[in-house]
Amino acid sequence: LCEQKRGKDNKAIIASNIMYVVGQYPRFLRAHWKFLKTVVNKLFEFMHETHDGVQDMACDTFIKISQKCRRQFVNMQVGEVTVFVDDIISNINHHICDLQPQQVHTFYEAVGYMVSSQTDTVAQKRLVESLMFLPNQVWDGIIEEAKNNPSILREHDVCKQILNILRTNVRVCRAIGHVFYVQLGRIYLDM
């Protein structure tokens, strides 16, 4: 259908409608792993699309699917080498590189829902640490620099980075729940 239409607007509308319909059938997605994985990978592609509204649609559909199909992402699926959430986290920088901060927060929350469904506590803690690696790296850099030069905390860009990191933490905490104490304990003393 997308191939038959001309113009970015028409293709974007068709893609959005397809993803909307797909998101309405979580039972089908849960029952058909390969299709679910294909849909999610397509959403990751849409996250790089600069056409108006496509990235929002991709992030909104991603969180919707993550909430309704969360266990499928942490369970080993037939024919897979690793669980899909590990793949998502290891490529997170690539997935979010073109997103706006609010969309990044949504992405992290979506992955947080996946992590929350992990029943093995040790694996869940490892996933939290892996998920929060990038924000923690930026956080550590700011804290380290602030120790040498506290005035950087007054800079607009630095304040914006801190705000985005804290918002990411809030969204992930909301999704994961009590196991988030692993992350909270890591950044608490810095605050």
Side-chain angles (χ1 to χ4, degrees):
L1 202 57
C2 277
E3 306 301 321
Q4 295 173 355
K5 289 294 177 185
R6 289 198 177 113
K8 275 240 187 236
D9 283 344
N10 291 332
K11 289 183 181 197
I13 290 168
I14 289 170
S16 287
N17 289 338
I18 290 170
M19 288 303 160
Y20 174 78
V21 170
V22 165
Q24 298 303 307
Y25 296 97
R27 276 192 307 185
F28 180 82
L29 293 173
R30 286 191 297 264
H32 299 88
W33 166 248
K34 292 237 184 251
F35 186 72
L36 172 59
K37 184 178 178 184
T38 301
V39 167
V40 171
N41 283 324
K42 195 58 154 168
L43 289 172
F44 293 155
E45 286 178 33
F46 288 148
M47 289 178 191
H48 300 288
E49 178 62 52
T50 56
H51 190 76
D52 221 18
V54 174
Q55 290 176 326
D56 284 330
M57 171 277 299
C59 291
D60 292 344
T61 306
F62 182 55
I63 195 167
K64 187 177 193 179
I65 289 172
S66 296
Q67 289 170 322
K68 295 178 179 177
C69 303
R70 59 181 85 185
R71 284 185 193 89
Q72 277 62 32
F73 297 101
V74 296
N75 292 334
M76 183 61 79
Q77 300 294 334
V78 176
E80 298 294 332
V81 181
T82 61
V83 291
F84 195 49
V85 72
D86 285 334
D87 185 48
I88 293 170
I89 291 172
S90 66
N91 294 304
I92 201 164
N93 198 30
H94 173 72
H95 297 317
I96 66 172
C97 66
D98 294 325
L99 299 177
Q100 296 300 312
Q102 183 61 33
Q103 296 163 334
V104 171
H105 305 322
T106 301
F107 187 96
Y108 269 89
E109 183 178 356
V111 179
Y113 285 116
M114 296 174 193
V115 171
S116 74
S117 70
Q118 175 58 263
T119 54
D120 179 358
T121 309
V122 174
Q124 194 176 40
K125 288 178 184 176
R126 179 191 58 79
L127 287 171
V128 171
E129 290 169 357
S130 299
L131 176 60
M132 298 309 293
F133 178 77
L134 284 176
N136 287 342
Q137 206 173 24
V138 176
W139 176 267
D140 292 344
I142 291 170
I143 296 302
E144 200 57 42
E145 200 171 330
K147 286 177 184 174
N148 299 326
N149 180 15
S151 66
I152 68 147
L153 295 175
R154 293 189 194 111
E155 292 177 17
H156 180 71
D157 288 343
V158 173
C159 289
K160 227 172 162 177
Q161 282 183 310
I162 292 171
L163 181 64
N164 283 324
I165 292 167
L166 292 174
R167 284 182 175 159
T168 299
N169 274 273
V170 167
R171 298 284 292 271
V172 173
C173 180
R174 180 187 309 157
I176 292 178
H178 71 280
V179 177
F180 192 74
Y181 76 87
V182 172
Q183 169 65 10
L184 196 57
R186 188 193 181 288
I187 64 170
Y188 180 74
L189 291 178
D190 293 334
M191 290 190 288

